[in-house]
Amino acid sequence: VNQVANLTLVSSACDMVSTAYTSTKESHPYIRSVCDAAEKGVKSVTEATASCVQPVLTTLEPHVAAASEYASKGLDKLGEKLPLLQKPVDWIISDTKELVSSRVADAKDAVSS
């Protein structure tokens, strides 16, 4: 999970969502109250679940470690094959806009000639 969260694409997307969420909460008092209540509920459920799940996680720890190592190797390979994962969202959006504009311009040129 940490390895996925540290991918530039994922972390920049999370930052964008977090910024939008915070901005929305600050701009709209009714939404803020709903979000605050939801956050408290999630926190309570998380705390209650953590104590119940901990014994199960302790039992499964060797299996989780093996799965984690396997997933880590897979993510490394995926990162090699998809360098886009190391780019921030705003760069990808900008690059995509440029590519689409270029293709549209090429299409216009082809039609006009």
Side-chain angles (χ1 to χ4, degrees), residues 43-57:
K43 184 177 180 184
S44 298
V45 169
T46 302
E47 290 170 352
T49 304
S51 60
C52 297
V53 171
Q54 190 57 49
V56 175
L57 289 178

Side-chain angles (χ1 to χ4, degrees), residues 12-71:
S12 68
C14 289
D15 290 344
M16 288 178 74
V17 169
S18 177
T19 300
Y21 178 77
T22 301
S23 174
T24 302
K25 277 179 61 173
E26 290 172 359
S27 301
H28 305 284
Y30 295 117
I31 293 176
R32 177 183 24 230
S33 61
V34 171
C35 291
D36 288 344
E39 289 171 16
K40 287 178 185 174
V42 168
K43 184 177 180 184
S44 298
V45 169
T46 302
E47 290 170 352
T49 304
S51 60
C52 297
V53 171
Q54 190 57 49
V56 175
L57 289 178
T58 303
T59 304
L60 296 175
E61 189 172 350
H63 304 292
V64 171
S68 178
E69 184 178 337
Y70 183 73

